[in-house]
Amino acid sequence: MQLWQADEHEALVQWPWDEARARDVVSAIVADAEARVEEDGSWPVHPRDEPADGEHWSTLYLGSAGMIWALRELGSSIDLEALAVRAIDRYRAVPDFGELAHAPSLWMGETGLLVVAAKTGSLAADERRLRELVVANREHDTWELMWGSPGTMLAARACGLADEWRDSARVLWEHWDENSDLWTQRLYGRVAQIIGPAHGFAGNAHALRGYVTDEVLRTRVARALERTAIREDGLVNWPPTAQPREGADRIRVQWCHGAPGVIATLGDLLPPELALGGGELIWRAGPLGKGAGLCHGTAGNGYAFLRLLGVTGDERWLDRARRFAMHAIAQVESERERTGRGRYALWTGDIGVALFLRACIEADPAFPTIDTW
């Protein structure tokens, strides 16, 4: 399997790092988001996020909860507490994603909304309800971050529900297969062993930090990722699944699948040759053509460089992160020129880019919501 698909990447813009410009872009993204919030506390859905007619989303991944949380992080002055109330009310009246609706989900359900309500000090915060959702999700058979218990474990830990986090961690640990060193996901009608952080191994191992020691995690992470790595000429990547199928599991270089997410999430637990080889692969492949965002965009890939800065202390990785940051700025500006509007979502949109720009200014590898609330 080849290490990356050249047609999914584009040449890096030749813009030097400009901190003043980065700060201005952060301010502009925040101001635009504040101006575009609608009466019901939602934001218009971008065409690339494939909304149905008139659809507004409430949850963390694509909806209001993610926008509210990011605006709080970036110092917005609008009434985020009231927006959190409206978002939860809207979700409870019409849950996101129709038949796929799953209230305990961190990214796609009510759990993420309740974490955001708690973090904003909103009247919608409800510790009892959050506890119920975490407990209800501890054996969800996706065994991944987006829908399953690893996500609700992060929610429990963020909101001080130590007993519920530990109980879920115990169950997740028990389902970590000792033969493959992976978990098996049942997701969207398919059974697979997924490697990246959004839907599989990397996110699960990260959620177990503190339940078992870093030494134990490091041993098991190394075994799994040594075995599944694809190597060539010192470069390293990982396929989406441990048993990739032709076409269905096309190799990717993005946060959700591939080296960027593995390194951003587990870089400090990886053998150095894998971490550095993955970093070189990300740099060699170049920015993603899919967009600027976190999940499958240039900003998400750039967080891997910040993680490598933290692991190695080598300023080369900070320079590379900042070069990707300037490219992400170019992508945001180009998309706005093309569509005449911003993209209002934490994981796919402009606000995630603003968080990455701030991280590059501060040389901070902490990934939004995964590492810090």
Side-chain angles (χ1 to χ4, degrees):
M1 182 180 288
Q2 64 193 94
L3 288 177
W4 76 88
Q5 301 285 343
D7 61 357
E8 292 191 348
H9 298 267
E10 55 192 39
L12 187 69
V13 298
Q14 297 304 303
W15 294 354
W17 169 245
D18 185 337
E19 181 175 326
R21 184 173 185 185
R23 291 184 183 277
D24 287 345
V25 171
V26 172
S27 296
I29 289 172
V30 169
D32 178 58
E34 291 174 337
R36 291 302 303 271
V37 63
E38 301 188 353
E39 285 189 15
D40 66 351
S42 68
W43 278 264
V45 182
H46 196 275
R48 283 199 179 193
D49 292 324
E50 300 178 354
D53 289 343
E55 188 169 31
H56 287 181
W57 288 326
S58 306
T59 47
L60 194 66
Y61 183 77
L62 289 174
S64 300
M67 291 295 297
I68 293 164
W69 179 81
L71 286 171
R72 171 183 171 272
E73 285 290 294
L74 294 167
S76 174
S77 60
I78 64 174
D79 189 350
L80 300 175
E81 298 175 28
L83 291 180
V85 172
R86 292 180 205 168
I88 288 182
D89 287 346
R90 188 172 58 252
Y91 175 83
R92 288 172 176 167
V94 184
D96 292 11
F97 308 111
E99 293 182 359
L100 287 176
H102 176 57
S105 167
L106 175 66
W107 283 1
M108 305 298 203
E110 189 178 340
T111 291
L113 284 154
L114 288 170
V115 176
V116 171
K119 293 302 177 182
T120 58
S122 172
L123 293 174
D126 186 340
E127 184 176 287
R128 180 194 59 78
R129 174 62 174 162
L130 180 58
R131 181 179 287 109
E132 289 175 355
L133 292 171
V134 172
V135 171
N137 213 41
R138 67 182 181 180
E139 297 191 50
H140 193 259
D141 64 2
T142 55
W143 299 113
E144 47 81 78
L145 194 150
M146 180 176 281
W147 300 96
S149 65
T152 43
M153 285 168 60
L154 296 181
R157 187 158 55 191
C159 293
L161 302 180
D163 290 343
E164 288 74 20
W165 168 76
R166 184 165 294 278
D167 187 42
S168 290
R170 173 186 58 78
V171 176
L172 182 64
W173 172 259
E174 290 171 353
H175 280 78
W176 194 349
D177 180 63
E178 292 186 3
N179 293 320
S180 67
D181 283 305
L182 299 170
W183 285 266
T184 298
Q185 282 72 37
R186 289 167 175 80
L187 185 67
Y188 309 137
R190 184 181 174 194
V191 178
Q193 291 180 314
I194 302 172
I195 295 170
H199 292 302
F201 172 82
N204 295 5
H206 179 66
L208 286 169
R209 291 179 187 267
Y211 181 74
V212 295
T213 66
D214 281 358
E215 288 71 22
V216 170
L217 286 176
R218 189 170 286 112
T219 297
R220 296 198 68 173
V221 163
R223 285 203 306 252
L225 295 180
E226 287 274 12
R227 180 174 60 81
T228 54
I230 304 169
R231 301 172 175 86
E232 184 177 326
D233 296 332
L235 304 179
V236 179
N237 200 4
W238 286 268
T241 67
Q243 300 86 26
R245 301 183 305 178
E246 187 68 27
D249 291 329
R250 178 181 167 106
I251 195 74
R252 298 180 179 94
V253 184
Q254 52 198 49
W255 183 85
C256 49
H257 295 292
V262 169
I263 294 169
T265 310
L266 300 177
D268 59 316
L269 300 176
L270 281 171
E273 63 274 16
L274 291 185
L276 294 173
E280 290 294 338
L281 177 280
I282 299 163
W283 179 249
R284 187 83 59 86
L288 274 166
K290 293 180 179 180
L294 295 176
C295 187
H296 37 268
T298 299
N301 285 17
Y303 269 102
F305 298 144
L306 293 176
R307 178 64 67 190
L308 289 170
L309 169 69
V311 169
T312 67
D314 186 343
E315 294 286 322
R316 170 184 51 157
W317 297 111
L318 178 59
D319 175 68
R320 290 179 172 184
R322 287 173 167 173
R323 293 288 304 280
F324 267 42
M326 299 307 293
H327 193 95
I329 289 173
Q331 288 179 307
V332 168
E333 292 176 348
S334 175
E335 183 71 5
R336 283 174 177 257
E337 183 175 344
R338 185 182 73 83
T339 63
R341 47 154 297 167
R343 191 171 181 179
Y344 307 104
L346 173 57
W347 285 92
T348 63
D350 302 348
I351 205 77
V353 177
L355 291 167
F356 176 57
L357 295 176
R358 189 184 67 173
C360 286
I361 292 167
E362 299 175 354
D364 181 4
F367 200 91
T369 75
I370 304 302
D371 292 320
T372 178
W373 285 96

